[in-house]
Every structure is written in C-alpha cells, then in structure tokens.
C-alpha cells in the first residue's frame, strides 16, 4: 500500500546528510567535550561548528548567543522561568497569547503560583495576535512578552517585528517561540527584535532530542538546569554531541536550501488547499489565508469528526493529524482552534496536514482524490449532517 506522510510538524525524517554528519560522533568521536584529551577536542570542535551554524541560520550576532537544550519545550521553560527568576525585582507581569504551545501556557500557569500576573492576548479569527491589546496590557510591571513566530496548528505567522517594537518601547523583553517557524521562512533574529528565541532541531531535518535557546547578549537569564557548568554555566549536563552536530548540519543545509524548500512546499500546500476546498462542500481553511507557513494545510469539514477522518486516512496509508500532536491525547478541542473562535463541533471537524520536502505533488493528488469520498461516507453516517445533504455530500 502507498504510504504518505503529512505530519511533519509532529515529527520529521532526519536528512540523510545530517545522519552522515552525526555518524562519526556516535562512533569514533565519543569523547566528552569537557575532558582534556584529543578525543574531547574533536567533540568540542563539533559543538563549536554546530553553534556557529545555528547562529548563522537566525543571523545571530554571536555564536555564544546560542545555547543547546534537549527540545523546544525545555527552551520555552527555560526562557520564561529563567527570565522570571532573574528579573522579578523589576516586575511580576508577563504577557503571552491564547494560542501558544502548552510548554509556554503551562509555564505561565505555574508562575501564577509564584505571584506572577499573566495576561493572555487574544487573536483574530485568522489567529493573528491583537497588537492593540498588547499595547494596552503592557505596564511598568511587565518584564516579558512571549509570542510564537508561527502556530503549527493553524499555520498563521505572527507580526513579530511590530510586536517587538511595542514591547521594547515599554522596556520589556520579547521571547519568541520559533519552533514551528524555523526553516519555513528566513529568520533574522535581530531584525525581528527577539531577546530570546526557541528553536527546535527536528523541524529543520535534524534529530529529535535537541533544541536551542537564543539569548541575546546581555539578557538576564537564570539557568534552568544546574550542575557541572556546561554551556558556559547556563545549561549543565554532558552535551548531546551527536544530536547537536546533527542540528548544526541541519541548520547549515537549511541556510543553503531554504529558498528551494519554500517554493516546493508552497506549491504543494496551495495545490492541497485548493484541491480539498473545491472538491469538498462545507470545507474551510483554518488560520490565515496568506500569512501562512509554507508546509501547513489546516482545514475543517462540517458535520464530522477529525478523528474518524484520520483513521480512514490512515487505513488508506495517509498520516495526518487532527490538531496539535502535542495535545492530541486529550479529547478537549484544541485551545488554539477555540481561540480563533471555532465552536466545539467546528474544532472537532479539523484536520492538519503538514508537508515535508520529501512529499511529492502525486502525494497531494492522492489525498485530494481520497478525502472527498471519506468525507462523503462519514457524513452519510453522521447524525449532524442535515437531511437534505446526506444524499449529495
Ligand atoms: N512550540 C511549538 C510552537 C510547537 O509546535 C511545539 C511542538 N512541535 C513545541 C513548542 C514543543 O516541541 P517539543 O515537543 O519538541 O519540545
């Protein structure tokens, strides 16, 4: 059976060239970078190159502004908790949005127990954050604002540069979760005006289990993990050298190939959106129509459930998602879909396809041929489908 993978935001294949770059660091170069011998020296070089590649990918001023972590969740935790711990003398107010990943929202909830006040900015029906509300919410007590660069569930890209100008005018700092954005469009962290930025390796063709936090020189941040002083005392623990080397290689390939990747992804994205929306009645796009990640096709279909569409797609060899893979374990409709104003039943009818560069136009055509029949069958069985439609949908 044909197998088509369209769930890249949840997990993506590691580029073969990345695997080759990692290989020596799994076999021959096994020294601990903190040791004093030549084996350590090679590992140290590997870390240095990787740091410089990740820094170049986001146009950071210095490699030393990049700290490697174990994942985007850790980077988000560190950015917010570490910043709050070092800066609460200036104020105890943090602003974020209603559509952040749970690794931001749950950290903020946790901080309320430590006396922090959290404001959640609303978004419009396309998922764009309300910058007027940002201006209103900022006070002298606000120390940090955390806004994602793009939302992987609905594909919407946020106006980060404009947000950073507003935040800096009030002397607060900006953390940007760029997990879903990295590799999807060129990022210049200085032009964007981020003080802290979360990055993930798997989203750019690197291995899982690695992430990074950009921390602009001079940003006051407390370590999240204390120990032997690795990562210049900011993130202790023996470094995941093969993983970090993999992230570095993925970053340098992304730097070189990002233009071609975007062109290919956008072509497939637009073909899939058009194919689904024009062949399936009562189908709608979730997220912004143009300010949108090149790999993201988030759609919803009235009267049926995403879960049953997913199972039917899976049986036909197509892997997609019903929403955020990170929250798929709960039966609650996604907080992101609720935040853009969808009713429960609309949110439940959502499907998310996230494309990768190894997908081909034929994969898109296969899904466009397959899904209308699945939807029709499920609608015929659904008590929600209006009677006049059951014959025709
Ligand atoms: N932030 C965003 C925007 C995400 O989409 C995700 C999930 N891919 C995360 C953070 C968390 O990533 P991870 O589970 O790899 O830590």
């Amino acid at each position: 059976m044909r197998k088509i993978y369209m769930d890249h935001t949840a997990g993506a294949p590691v580029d073969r060239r990345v695997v080759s770059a990692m290989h020596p660091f799994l076999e021959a170069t096994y020294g601990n970078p903190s040791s004093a011998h030549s084996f350590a020296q090679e590992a140290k070089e590997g870390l240095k190159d990787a740091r410089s590649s990740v820094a170049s990918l986001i146009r950071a001023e210095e490699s030393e502004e990049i700290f490697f972590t174990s994942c985007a969740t850790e980077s988000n935790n560190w950015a917010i908790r570490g910043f709050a711990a070092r800066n609460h003398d200036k104020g105890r107010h943090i602003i974020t949005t209603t559509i952040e990943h749970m690794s931001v929202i749950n950290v903020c909830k946790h901080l309320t127990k430590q006396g922090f006040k959290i404001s959640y900015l609303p978004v419009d029906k396309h998922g764009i954050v309300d910058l007027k509300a940002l201006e209103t919410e900022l006070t002298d007590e606000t120390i940090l604002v955390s806004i994602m660069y793009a939302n992987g569930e609905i594909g919407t890209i946020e106006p980060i540069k404009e947000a950073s100008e507003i935040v800096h005018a009030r002397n607060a700092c900006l953390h940007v979760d760029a997990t879903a954005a990295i590799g999807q469009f060129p990022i210049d962290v200085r032009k964007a005006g981020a003080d802290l930025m979360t990055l993930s390796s798997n989203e750019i063709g690197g291995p899982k289990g690695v992430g990074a936090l950009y921390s602009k020189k001079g940003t006051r941040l407390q370590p999240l993990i204390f120990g032997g002083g690795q990562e210049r005392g900011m993130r202790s623990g023996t470094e995941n050298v093969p993983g970090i080397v993999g992230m570095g290689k993925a970053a340098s390939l992304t730097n070189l190939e990002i233009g071609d990747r975007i062109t290919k992804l956008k072509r497939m994205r637009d073909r899939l959106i058009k194919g689904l929306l024009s062949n399936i009645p009562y189908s709608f796009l979730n997220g912004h129509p143009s300010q949108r990640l090149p790999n993201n096709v988030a759609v919803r279909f009235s009267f049926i459930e995403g879960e049953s569409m997913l199972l039917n797609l899976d049986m036909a060899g197509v892997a997609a998602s019903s929403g955020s893979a990170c929250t798929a374990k709960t039966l609650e409709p996604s907080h992101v879909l609720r935040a853009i104003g969808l009713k429960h039943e609309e949110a439940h009818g959502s499907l998310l396809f996230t494309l990768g560069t190894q997908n081909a136009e034929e994969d898109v055509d296969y899904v466009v041929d397959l899904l209308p029949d699945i939807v029709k069958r499920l609608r015929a069985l659904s008590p929600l489908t209006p009677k006049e439609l059951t014959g025709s949908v």
Side-chain angles (χ1 to χ4, degrees):
M1 185 175 61
R2 194 181 173 131
K3 288 282 219 181
I4 295 176
Y5 187 79
M6 292 190 178
D7 193 16
H8 287 82
T9 295
V14 179
D15 190 297
R16 212 170 280 135
R17 295 163 294 175
V18 169
V19 176
S20 305
M22 291 171 69
H23 211 202
F25 291 87
L26 289 160
E27 281 189 346
T29 311
Y30 42 76
N32 187 318
S34 298
S35 304
H37 41 62
S38 64
F39 289 76
Q41 199 50 41
E42 286 170 27
K44 222 182 272 176
E45 284 299 315
L47 290 184
K48 188 169 166 231
D49 291 349
R51 205 179 305 282
S52 144
S53 301
V54 173
S56 310
L57 179 62
I58 60 163
R59 310 289 181 257
E61 192 172 353
E62 292 178 13
S63 295
E64 281 60 39
E65 293 172 320
I66 303 294
F67 297 89
F68 290 107
T69 64
S70 68
C71 59
T73 295
E74 183 189 326
S75 300
N76 282 343
N77 269 261
W78 181 16
I80 300 169
R81 295 173 72 179
F83 192 90
R86 262 308 288 285
N87 296 280
H88 62 77
D89 53 331
K90 288 196 203 154
R92 287 184 169 262
H93 180 223
I94 293 174
I95 301 177
T96 186
T97 82
T98 47
I99 60 163
E100 297 303 307
H101 187 260
M102 296 319 283
S103 56
V104 167
I105 291 187
N106 282 339
V107 170
C108 288
K109 277 191 191 158
H110 173 73
L111 285 176
T112 57
K113 293 186 199 135
Q114 296 177 5
F116 284 86
K117 181 177 171 266
I118 313 291
S119 304
Y120 296 89
L121 301 175
V123 296
D124 70 10
K125 66 175 183 182
H126 291 137
I128 298 279
V129 65
D130 186 340
L131 294 182
K132 283 263 169 306
L134 172 61
E135 279 183 68
T136 317
E137 290 292 340
L138 275 159
T139 70
D140 294 341
E141 279 283 299
T142 312
I143 51 170
L144 184 68
V145 177
S146 180
I147 304 179
M148 61 191 351
Y149 220 139
N151 184 293
E153 214 176 313
I154 55 172
T156 302
I157 299 171
E158 299 297 341
I160 290 300
K161 189 173 181 324
E162 292 81 345
S164 77
E165 283 160 11
I166 297 169
V167 171
H168 291 150
R170 297 300 300 266
N171 293 323
C173 281
L174 179 67
H175 165 242
V176 175
D177 177 3
T179 308
I182 185 78
Q184 295 291 314
F185 53 87
I187 291 181
D188 183 320
V189 74
R190 279 179 285 165
K191 283 193 188 145
D195 302 289
L196 294 155
M197 184 177 278
T198 292
L199 305 166
S200 169
S201 155
N202 195 227
E203 317 287 326
I204 52 170
K208 295 181 185 60
V210 200
L213 181 65
Y214 161 86
S215 175
K216 188 176 164 188
K217 204 162 78 180
T219 305
R220 281 157 41 113
L221 193 65
Q222 179 174 291
L224 183 69
I225 299 178
F226 295 90
Q230 288 89 346
E231 293 294 280
R232 299 180 307 293
M234 291 302 282
R235 199 275 185 184
S236 289
T238 299
E239 299 87 344
N240 169 10
V241 180
I244 291 170
V245 166
M247 183 174 185
K249 181 69 181 176
S252 63
L253 291 170
T254 303
N255 222 345
L256 288 173
E257 298 172 0
I258 192 164
D260 293 343
R261 290 187 195 177
I262 293 170
T263 308
K264 182 174 183 194
L265 289 171
K266 273 190 177 165
R267 200 180 306 130
M268 291 191 291
R269 175 196 70 186
D270 294 342
R271 192 180 176 100
L272 185 51
I273 292 176
K274 187 160 174 265
L276 295 179
L277 297 191
S278 57
N279 285 311
I280 303 177
Y282 298 95
S283 58
F284 308 90
L285 185 69
N286 288 341
H288 201 282
S290 58
Q291 288 298 106
R292 183 170 199 93
L293 291 171
N295 73 342
N296 184 290
V297 177
V299 276
R300 66 179 192 276
F301 306 97
S302 305
F303 321 124
I304 49 176
E305 298 232 314
E307 294 298 326
S308 31
M309 283 185 272
L310 265 193
L311 286 177
N312 279 269
L313 282 169
D314 194 34
M315 283 191 285
V318 178
S321 164
S322 61
S324 168
C326 324
T327 50
K329 286 193 191 79
T330 73
L331 287 175
E332 275 302 295
S334 134
H335 67 286
V336 176
L337 300 177
R338 299 284 288 142
I340 60 172
L342 297 188
K343 299 194 192 91
H344 273 243
E345 58 277 19
E346 291 174 309
H348 275 307
S350 292
L351 266 188
L352 173 64
F353 299 91
T354 46
L355 304 163
T357 45
Q358 97 281 10
N359 286 131
E361 304 237 339
E362 297 83 73
D363 297 343
V364 169
D365 294 342
Y366 184 80
V367 175
V368 170
D369 278 347
L370 180 71
L371 195 54
D373 279 342
I374 292 177
V375 170
K376 200 170 174 180
R377 246 187 299 125
L378 291 171
R379 279 182 178 165
L381 298 171
S382 166
L384 299 172
T385 310
K387 279 219 167 41
E388 63 274 20
L389 287 180
T390 41
S392 61
V393 290

